[in-house]
Amino acid sequence: MEINVPLLKQLCEIAGAPGFEKRVRDLVIDLVKPHADEVSTDNLGNVVAIKRGKRNPDGKRVMVAAHLDEIGFIVTHIDEQGFLRFHTLGGFDPKTLTAQRVIVHGKKDLIGVMGSKPIHVMSVEERAKLPKTTDFFIDLGMSKEEVEKYISIGDPVTRDRELIEMGDCVNCKSIDNRVAVFILIEALKKLENPAYDVYATFTVQEEVGIRGANVAAHSINPDFGIALDTTIAFDVPGAAAYEKVTELGKGTAIKIMDAMTICDYRMVEFMKQTAIKEAISWQPEILTAGGTDTAGVQRMGKQGSIAGAISIPTRHLHQVIEMAHKKDIADSISLLVACLEQIDGYDWKH
């Protein structure tokens, strides 16, 4: 099964820092409208595309969540020389900021570079210290007067990197979580016989605390929940077998737990059985640190939901070189579609 790489590229490269998802949201709305019965946007900015079930006399609801936002920054200060200070929006390993280009989204988009103190003028003590995000500034190559024509405090900043294909993989910034947005869109296109009403929910502000999913789940009040997100693939030199979490090319990952959620054992078993039945490659995922929209989907409805997650193994997470395998992406689409079409055939009472 081939994947639509040009669409994935478009989704990964478009800007959408937490709280500033409008560009990617507008794109997603245009993409899902032809494949949904209803499309709406809530006050926080979540997009909900509903596809009505074919065998649903009791009005059961399945919420499928994929977050729109990408990790980024927000401008906090413009100094006398025109350099920008910033605050992070989402989790960053500071060393990954070195030598990176960014885009500052003001009255117009401006390219900047992450600057820091050159190693040539660092003391021995400074060289030995791990970098902090506060060691960096954004250089736009402009005077303060020029900068202030276009940029204000509070403007969002995203990372600049194009999607490329590398062997059987795709590599870009913001694979987390645009690959899941891509999977949900592709699943809506392929979904011909959903059992229950599907609420395909493109959430906001996941990277700063699962805020969109909490609001959406409270509103939708789902009976069942499936989150879509990336997960660690630490299948690299130096990793012990027990540290890998997942591996590229071994199939989609069925989440068992992460630091914020223990997935419902029934959903885990249903996903496993469905993958085996449909000959879809899969691997188990236990992530002991970090969380996803699964937590909000599971807990924020009025009665809670029977929830789990389909995860996409990804190397180099929260960097501009995130890497996912095309086969794992295709397997994730296949498993999601199969689950949504077969969810009414499982004994959820056992």
Side-chain angles (χ1 to χ4, degrees), residues 70-106:
E70 59 181 320
I71 56 173
F73 316 92
I74 190 167
V75 176
T76 59
H77 180 71
I78 304 170
D79 75 12
E80 291 304 312
Q81 295 174 280
F83 297 117
L84 308 183
R85 293 289 180 171
F86 59 87
H87 183 70
T88 55
L89 297 176
F92 281 90
D93 179 350
K95 69 175 181 289
T96 67
L97 303 185
T98 301
Q100 297 297 332
R101 286 179 179 159
V102 296
I103 307 171
V104 186
H105 304 284

Side-chain angles (χ1 to χ4, degrees), residues 35-40 48-53 188 197-200:
H35 309 288
D37 296 309
E38 300 174 35
V39 179
S40 62
V48 181
I50 303 173
K51 201 156 192 174
R52 295 296 177 190
L188 281 174
D197 292 354
V198 174
Y199 286 70

Side-chain angles (χ1 to χ4, degrees), residues 207-226:
E207 295 289 1
V208 290
I210 313 178
R211 298 172 187 177
N214 287 343
V215 169
H218 181 73
S219 175
I220 294 167
N221 194 27
D223 299 281
F224 302 92
I226 299 173

Side-chain angles (χ1 to χ4, degrees), residues 112-139:
V113 295
M114 285 286 181
S116 60
K117 188 172 184 178
I119 194 170
H120 313 75
V121 295
M122 285 184 179
S123 66
V124 174
E125 292 77 16
E126 286 174 327
R127 292 185 187 189
K129 290 180 180 178
L130 291 173
K132 305 184 296 294
T133 55
T134 51
D135 294 334
F136 295 88
F137 53 86
I138 297 171
D139 185 353

